[in-house]
Amino acid sequence: MNDHAVQLTNVVVNRNGILALDDVSVGIGFGRITGLLGPSGSGKSTLMRAIVGVQIVASGSVTVLGLPAGAPELRSRVGYVTQAPSVYRDLTVRENLSYFRNILGTRNADVDRVLEAVDLTSVQSQMVKTLSGGQEGRVSLATALLGKPELLILDEPTVGLDPVLRRDLWALFHTLADSGITILISSHVMDEASRCHDLILMRDGKLLAQGTERELLLQTSTDDIESAFLHLVDGHT
Amino acid sequence: MSAHRTVATARRVLAQLRHDPRTIALLLVVPAMLMTLLAWILDDANWQRYAPGLLGIFPMLVMFLVTSVATLRERTSGTLERLLSMPMSKADFVFGYALAFGLLAIVQAIIVGGLCFVALGLTMRGPTSLVLMVAVLDGLLGTALGLFVSAFAQTEFQAVQFMPVALLPQFLLCGLIVPTDDLPSVLRFLSALLPLTYAFDAMQKLAQNEVVSSGFWVDVAILVAMALALLTAGTATLRRRTR
């Protein structure tokens, strides 16, 4: 499986007595944008946490860029954006980024680069708590872009954004992917499927299907991913 | 552990405080106000008796509260998880906090000590620099305790409620109210396990003796050891991986 940036094999995760991941095996291709789709509670975030290495895994293995997930060598190579923005609300945008840049040990100019990438240059001196929810989410995203991440794990980064911004962010993701960065992006909005190279569909902690949008539509003889999803769910039960 | 990341963390914590002038004011003004009140209600003999010990108690109290709430926020907001998924060691995090709040403890001790010595007529026979040192050590102990306790709190409400649990027994047993020698043997044994007892004793020794005794340095050594042990225990409560 050398062509996979991330490989999960028979991964089982127990959270509070519930099987959050139930024997999931899936691979994520290098330099591709993989969409992780499923309703909320389907295990998307848990899968992402397992890849980042912050989730205790009951059994199975997670390999990231050839190393076990959570290996110290991966800490500057994997960028992770949680669903709730994890930044300091009582600091300015720039202070947040400068601090995380210091921790990563990258150049000062890096801050300006990521500010521009997420279109926050104009609000860089504002306190994060005074920003809108969408802007706060982008501060969190900008943090993950600091340094030279080879793999980006983005948990619902486009939720609640206005369509123009959503389009711009997807353009950014494609630019990043074109430069060789592997991206895993989760969403519960099925219509984002067409913007991804590959798809992973999940439900109730189980892998429902994986492949390109085209493959999944062909396989289920449907016209859109939402119908494909329903077809697969019906097939399973 | 890296000095660079520790300093960056301390600077970040101080930047957060700088954006919150009200908290800074509370940290610095409230102890000064309480000491003034105390000087007012006590006659001189009692003021000279109680004030040195209280100089050692305020820093621990205040730093405990600030640290337990601040680190709980890091745990619940996801920033701690983010930091630990970066090339950051737990010790960088803990000592960054200790450094920032240690500096704050110095400023607090200078203001409160200065007020007591200059305006409120408190006399301590020992060197003022050592009074400052004990106050700072005490502040660090408060930071270490707050960090440790924040692991057991799920909300800021709970974190604040831990204050009476962690600090009031120490306050009652440290020797301020009843000298430790006069305590029942079980309580005397308990008081010997609590850090505030040594902070109080060190301050008393500085108040009474011009010459710094070896007993004072024993107190200081115990305080340093306890602060380090608690900071280490606090470090152990930070988890890179969770369920």
Side-chain angles (χ1 to χ4, degrees):
Chain A
M1 294 281 184
N2 284 332
D3 54 336
H4 283 160
V6 177
Q7 180 66 49
L8 281 84
T9 313
N10 305 113
V11 174
V12 176
V13 170
N14 248 308
R15 290 190 92 175
N16 308 316
I18 297 161
L19 271 184
L21 288 184
D22 185 0
D23 194 24
V24 172
S25 298
V26 72
I28 293 167
F30 268 111
R32 297 180 68 81
I33 300 180
T34 303
L36 181 55
L37 301 179
S40 69
S42 59
K44 302 188 299 292
S45 296
T46 308
L47 183 90
M48 293 187 141
R49 286 168 48 80
I51 295 171
V52 178
V54 295
Q55 175 68 53
I56 295 174
V57 172
S59 66
S61 75
V62 186
T63 308
V64 178
L65 304 172
L67 293 160
E73 299 91 324
L74 289 173
R75 284 183 200 139
S76 54
R77 297 170 66 191
V78 179
Y80 172 41
V81 182
T82 49
Q83 208 168 334
S86 46
V87 288
Y88 298 100
R89 304 191 76 227
D90 49 355
L91 288 179
T92 67
V93 174
R94 178 168 273 278
E95 282 170 339
N96 264 288
L97 293 170
S98 297
Y99 172 55
F100 289 116
R101 175 200 71 78
N102 255 311
I103 297 304
L104 288 167
T106 63
R107 297 167 300 119
N108 217 336
D110 221 21
V111 173
D112 295 305
R113 177 182 66 85
V114 298
L115 276 172
E116 198 146 324
V118 300
D119 193 23
L120 284 178
T121 309
S122 60
V123 295
Q124 57 174 300
S125 331
Q126 274 192 43
M127 298 282 276
V128 170
K129 66 180 162 204
T130 67
L131 301 179
S132 72
Q135 287 173 319
E136 193 178 340
R138 279 183 285 148
V139 180
S140 200
L141 175 63
T143 306
L145 299 178
L146 288 166
K148 274 200 163 68
E150 294 162 51
L151 172 66
L152 282 176
I153 308 290
L154 312 175
D155 201 351
E156 310 234 358
T158 58
V159 169
L161 294 184
D162 97 84
V164 178
L165 205 54
R166 224 156 66 134
R167 182 198 62 198
D168 292 351
L169 276 186
W170 275 104
L172 170 67
F173 299 153
H174 277 276
T175 313
L176 292 168
D178 290 343
S179 71
I181 297 176
T182 305
I183 300 178
L184 178 67
I185 185 163
S186 73
S187 179
H188 62 265
V189 188
M190 299 285 174
D191 63 9
E192 295 207 309
S194 55
R195 305 184 194 253
C196 304
H197 298 128
D198 297 311
L199 297 175
I200 297 172
L201 301 192
M202 287 189 69
R203 188 165 186 266
D204 286 341
K206 291 190 187 71
L207 180 76
L208 218 50
Q210 70 169 123
T212 62
E213 185 183 30
R214 216 182 137 75
E215 284 166 3
L216 294 180
L217 295 182
L218 273 174
Q219 184 191 327
T220 54
S221 337
T222 49
D223 301 326
D224 60 85
I225 282 297
E226 180 123 12
S227 314
F229 189 87
L230 290 172
H231 181 94
L232 288 161
V233 170
D234 292 340
H236 263 245
T237 49
Chain B
M1 190 177 161
S2 101
H4 169 75
R5 294 192 184 105
T6 306
V7 171
T9 302
R11 287 181 54 182
R12 185 264 299 170
V13 172
L14 290 175
Q16 285 175 290
L17 273 177
R18 205 171 51 237
H19 288 302
D20 185 6
R22 195 175 300 183
T23 295
I24 299 185
L26 286 170
L27 286 175
L28 302 179
V29 172
V30 171
M33 207 180 70
L34 290 174
M35 289 307 270
T36 310
L37 196 59
L38 194 73
W40 200 357
I41 60 175
L42 294 178
D43 60 36
D44 190 60
N46 274 320
W47 164 245
Q48 301 294 344
R49 183 175 155 222
Y50 287 113
L54 286 169
L55 272 184
I57 289 170
F58 280 128
M60 186 188 274
L61 184 85
V62 170
M63 296 308 152
F64 174 88
L65 277 177
V66 182
T67 314
S68 56
V69 172
T71 49
L72 183 75
R73 263 189 213 166
E74 296 252 17
R75 288 176 205 267
T76 51
S77 70
T79 46
L80 176 64
E81 185 171 277
R82 161 165 262 158
L83 284 173
L84 292 181
S85 73
M86 286 182 169
M88 169 116 169
S89 78
K90 297 173 186 176
D92 293 334
F93 179 85
V94 170
F95 285 94
Y97 264 94
L99 185 59
F101 288 149
L103 288 174
L104 198 63
I106 291 179
V107 176
Q108 191 195 47
I110 288 174
I111 290 178
V112 180
L115 177 82
C116 290
F117 298 139
V118 176
L120 302 177
L122 177 67
T123 45
M124 293 191 59
R125 299 207 171 96
T128 313
S129 56
L130 292 183
V131 175
L132 271 182
M133 186 191 76
V134 174
V136 170
L137 265 178
D138 236 22
L140 284 179
L141 268 165
T143 293
L145 261 177
L147 184 79
F148 183 67
V149 159
S150 77
F152 304 100
Q154 267 137 23
T155 62
E156 288 179 24
F157 243 151
Q158 290 178 4
V160 174
Q161 297 300 329
F162 271 116
M163 197 269 283
V165 179
L167 296 190
L168 276 188
Q170 296 201 59
F171 183 78
L172 294 178
L173 294 175
C174 73
L176 178 75
I177 295 171
V178 176
T180 48
D181 287 341
D182 300 345
L183 289 170
S185 55
V186 177
L187 294 182
R188 198 164 54 216
F189 173 74
L190 272 178
S191 82
L193 299 176
L194 301 172
L196 199 55
T197 307
Y198 300 94
F200 176 79
D201 192 55
M203 283 296 193
Q204 287 303 106
K205 287 195 163 91
L206 285 175
Q208 286 155 7
N209 312 313
E210 210 160 308
V211 182
V212 180
S213 63
S214 61
F216 169 80
W217 291 111
V218 171
D219 284 340
V220 169
I222 292 174
L223 281 175
V224 172
M226 283 181 159
L228 283 176
L230 277 168
L231 282 175
T232 311
T235 310
T237 67
L238 306 174
R239 295 257 180 266
R240 275 192 209 274
R241 281 167 192 263
T242 51
R243 295 209 171 271

